[in-house]
Amino acid sequence: MIILTVPHPILRAVCHPVAEFGHTLQALTDKMLATMYAAPGRGLAAPQVGVARRIFVMDATWKDGDPSPMVFINPVLVQSSATVETGEEGCLSIPDTACDVTRPTEITLRWQALDGTTQEGAFDGFAARCIQHERDHLDGILCTDYSA
């Protein structure tokens, strides 16, 4: 898979929800994870590979330890902390550009797994930042929008 870069128009699209679960979705997310690891990145959203669907993959820890790939389909931010922190973010679709972005330090996310079941989890630290960054992609928001 090729990672699209700015100014490709799909990076500004609001993505459509996933309605069909099955082998095709599994194959897409497998390819997305392989592309993310090869980049090498820690997260990758479907529009970054030309698919306007509400999907992203993430592995917040693989560069520091064992791989722990995660797939998020139709993610919804349920809650975010009042405590925020500014941190530097990079983006595979905006090569060689770092952005300072202020985000909540803790979030609760609801999403669907590959089999369509609803999941919910609390995340903090880098995982929370990564999830917020990737979920932004699903609404056509880039990290550069925060520092403009």
Side-chain angles (χ1 to χ4, degrees):
M1 299 183 103
I2 295 171
I3 297 174
L4 303 175
T5 57
V6 293
H8 196 287
I10 198 170
L11 297 172
R12 291 301 191 170
V14 175
C15 296
H16 304 286
V18 172
E20 294 183 28
F21 295 79
H23 297 295
T24 303
L25 182 61
Q26 175 75 56
L28 171 63
T29 58
D30 286 348
K31 287 179 187 175
M32 287 175 64
L33 281 163
T35 301
M36 178 196 74
Y37 287 125
R42 293 187 188 193
L44 186 67
Q48 293 180 275
V49 293
V51 178
R53 293 284 179 235
R54 298 190 77 76
I55 305 164
F56 70 85
V57 297
M58 178 184 86
D59 189 336
T61 62
W62 77 272
K63 290 184 179 184
D64 304 317
D66 293 330
S68 56
M70 298 185 77
V71 174
F72 299 88
I73 302 164
N74 299 325
V76 175
L77 189 61
V78 175
Q79 187 175 352
S80 57
S81 66
T83 305
V84 297
E85 184 174 271
T86 300
E88 187 176 272
E89 296 182 16
C91 181
L92 297 174
S93 291
I94 312 171
D96 305 317
T97 301
C99 305
D100 286 332
V101 180
T102 302
R103 297 193 186 272
T105 57
E106 298 176 14
I107 61 165
T108 301
L109 192 75
R110 183 178 302 125
W111 70 96
Q112 288 175 277
L114 283 167
D115 63 2
T117 59
T118 300
Q119 310 289 312
E120 189 169 303
F123 300 88
D124 61 9
F126 181 78
R129 177 171 294 280
C130 190
I131 286 169
Q132 291 171 84
H133 176 104
E134 298 307 329
R135 203 191 72 71
D136 276 353
H137 275 296
L138 308 183
D139 291 324
I141 299 167
L142 301 175
C143 60
T144 52
D145 295 342
Y146 290 94
S147 57

